Coordinates of all heavy atoms in Angstrom, one line a residue:
I1 N -54.8 -9.4 32.9 CA -53.7 -9.9 33.6 C -53.0 -11.1 32.9 O -51.8 -11.3 32.9 CB -54.1 -10.3 35.1 CG1 -54.5 -9.0 35.8 CG2 -53.0 -11.1 35.8 CD1 -53.3 -8.1 36.1
D2 N -53.9 -12.0 32.4 CA -53.3 -13.2 31.7 C -52.5 -12.8 30.5 O -51.5 -13.5 30.2 CB -54.4 -14.2 31.4 CG -55.5 -13.6 30.5 OD1 -55.5 -12.4 30.3 OD2 -56.4 -14.4 30.0
E3 N -52.9 -11.8 29.8 CA -52.1 -11.4 28.6 C -50.8 -10.7 29.1 O -49.7 -11.0 28.4 CB -52.9 -10.3 27.8 CG -52.2 -9.9 26.5 CD -53.0 -9.0 25.6 OE1 -54.2 -8.8 25.9 OE2 -52.5 -8.5 24.6
I4 N -50.8 -10.0 30.2 CA -49.6 -9.5 30.7 C -48.6 -10.6 31.1 O -47.4 -10.5 30.9 CB -49.9 -8.5 31.9 CG1 -50.6 -7.3 31.4 CG2 -48.6 -8.1 32.6 CD1 -51.2 -6.4 32.5
A5 N -49.2 -11.6 31.8 CA -48.3 -12.7 32.2 C -47.7 -13.4 31.0 O -46.5 -13.8 31.0 CB -49.2 -13.7 33.0
S6 N -48.4 -13.5 29.9 CA -47.9 -14.1 28.7 C -46.8 -13.3 28.1 O -45.8 -13.8 27.6 CB -49.0 -14.3 27.7 OG -48.5 -14.9 26.4
L7 N -47.0 -11.9 28.0 CA -46.1 -11.0 27.5 C -44.7 -11.0 28.2 O -43.7 -10.8 27.7 CB -46.6 -9.6 27.4 CG -47.6 -9.2 26.3 CD1 -48.3 -7.9 26.6 CD2 -46.9 -9.2 25.0
T8 N -44.8 -11.2 29.5 CA -43.6 -11.1 30.4 C -43.1 -12.5 30.9 O -42.4 -12.5 31.8 CB -43.9 -10.2 31.6 OG1 -45.1 -10.7 32.3 CG2 -44.3 -8.8 31.1
A9 N -43.5 -13.5 30.2 CA -43.1 -14.8 30.6 C -41.6 -15.1 30.3 O -41.0 -16.0 30.9 CB -43.9 -15.9 29.9
H10 N -41.0 -14.3 29.5 CA -39.6 -14.6 29.1 C -38.7 -13.5 29.7 O -39.1 -12.3 29.8 CB -39.5 -14.6 27.6 CG -40.4 -15.6 26.9 ND1 -40.2 -16.9 26.9 CD2 -41.6 -15.4 26.2 CE1 -41.2 -17.5 26.3 NE2 -42.0 -16.6 25.8
T11 N -37.5 -13.9 30.0 CA -36.5 -12.9 30.5 C -35.4 -12.7 29.5 O -34.5 -11.9 29.9 CB -35.9 -13.5 31.9 OG1 -35.3 -14.8 31.6 CG2 -37.0 -13.6 32.9
D12 N -35.4 -13.3 28.4 CA -34.4 -13.0 27.4 C -34.8 -11.8 26.5 O -35.6 -11.0 27.0 CB -34.2 -14.3 26.5 CG -35.4 -14.8 25.8 OD1 -36.4 -14.0 25.7 OD2 -35.5 -15.9 25.5
E13 N -34.3 -11.7 25.3 CA -34.6 -10.5 24.5 C -36.0 -10.3 24.2 O -36.5 -9.2 23.8 CB -33.7 -10.5 23.3 CG -34.0 -11.6 22.3 CD -33.2 -11.6 21.1 OE1 -32.2 -10.8 21.1 OE2 -33.5 -12.2 20.1
R14 N -36.8 -11.4 24.3 CA -38.2 -11.3 24.0 C -39.0 -10.4 25.0 O -40.1 -10.0 24.7 CB -38.9 -12.7 24.0 CG -38.5 -13.6 22.8 CD -39.0 -15.0 23.0 NE -38.2 -15.7 23.9 CZ -38.4 -17.0 24.2 NH1 -39.3 -17.7 23.6 NH2 -37.6 -17.6 25.1
I15 N -38.4 -10.0 26.1 CA -39.0 -9.1 27.0 C -39.1 -7.7 26.3 O -40.0 -6.9 26.7 CB -38.1 -8.9 28.3 CG1 -39.0 -8.3 29.4 CG2 -36.9 -8.2 28.1 CD1 -40.1 -9.1 29.9
N16 N -38.3 -7.5 25.3 CA -38.4 -6.2 24.6 C -39.8 -6.0 23.9 O -40.2 -4.9 23.7 CB -37.3 -6.0 23.6 CG -35.9 -5.8 24.3 OD1 -35.9 -5.2 25.3 ND2 -34.9 -6.4 23.7
L17 N -40.4 -7.1 23.5 CA -41.7 -7.1 22.9 C -42.7 -6.6 23.9 O -43.7 -5.8 23.6 CB -42.1 -8.5 22.4 CG -41.3 -9.0 21.2 CD1 -41.7 -10.4 20.9 CD2 -41.4 -8.1 20.0
A18 N -42.5 -7.0 25.2 CA -43.4 -6.5 26.2 C -43.2 -5.0 26.5 O -44.2 -4.3 26.7 CB -43.2 -7.3 27.5
K19 N -42.0 -4.6 26.4 CA -41.7 -3.2 26.6 C -42.3 -2.3 25.5 O -42.8 -1.3 25.7 CB -40.2 -2.9 26.6 CG -39.4 -3.5 27.8 CD -37.9 -3.1 27.7 CE -37.1 -3.7 28.8 NZ -35.7 -3.3 28.8
E20 N -42.2 -2.9 24.3 CA -42.8 -2.2 23.1 C -44.3 -2.1 23.2 O -44.9 -1.0 22.9 CB -42.4 -3.0 21.9 CG -42.5 -2.2 20.6 CD -42.0 -3.0 19.4 OE1 -42.7 -4.0 18.9 OE2 -40.9 -2.7 18.9
R21 N -44.9 -3.1 23.8 CA -46.4 -3.1 24.0 C -46.7 -2.1 25.0 O -47.7 -1.4 24.9 CB -46.9 -4.5 24.3 CG -48.4 -4.6 24.4 CD -49.0 -4.5 23.1 NE -50.5 -4.6 23.2 CZ -51.2 -5.7 23.2 NH1 -50.5 -6.9 23.1 NH2 -52.5 -5.7 23.3
L22 N -46.0 -2.1 26.1 CA -46.2 -1.1 27.2 C -46.2 0.3 26.6 O -47.0 1.2 26.8 CB -45.2 -1.2 28.3 CG -45.1 -0.1 29.3 CD1 -46.3 0.0 30.2 CD2 -43.8 -0.3 30.2
A23 N -45.1 0.6 25.8 CA -44.9 1.9 25.3 C -46.0 2.3 24.3 O -46.5 3.4 24.3 CB -43.5 2.0 24.6
Y24 N -46.4 1.3 23.5 CA -47.4 1.6 22.5 C -48.8 1.9 23.1 O -49.5 2.8 22.8 CB -47.5 0.4 21.5 CG -48.5 0.7 20.4 CD1 -48.1 1.3 19.3 CD2 -49.9 0.3 20.5 CE1 -49.1 1.6 18.2 CE2 -50.8 0.6 19.5 CZ -50.4 1.2 18.4 OH -51.3 1.5 17.4

């Protein structure tokens, strides 16, 4: 959960890194 919170802490284009991690 803490890693997910870190991945989704940003609402700008950095959220795409979280999407990429989800997909991967």
Side-chain angles (χ1 to χ4, degrees):
I1 293 295
D2 56 353
E3 185 175 352
I4 292 172
S6 177
L7 280 167
T8 57
H10 306 284
T11 56
D12 56 20
E13 64 178 16
R14 285 172 288 184
I15 197 67
N16 289 326
L17 296 175
K19 294 183 184 184
E20 198 173 75
R21 186 67 181 278
L22 167 67
Y24 183 85

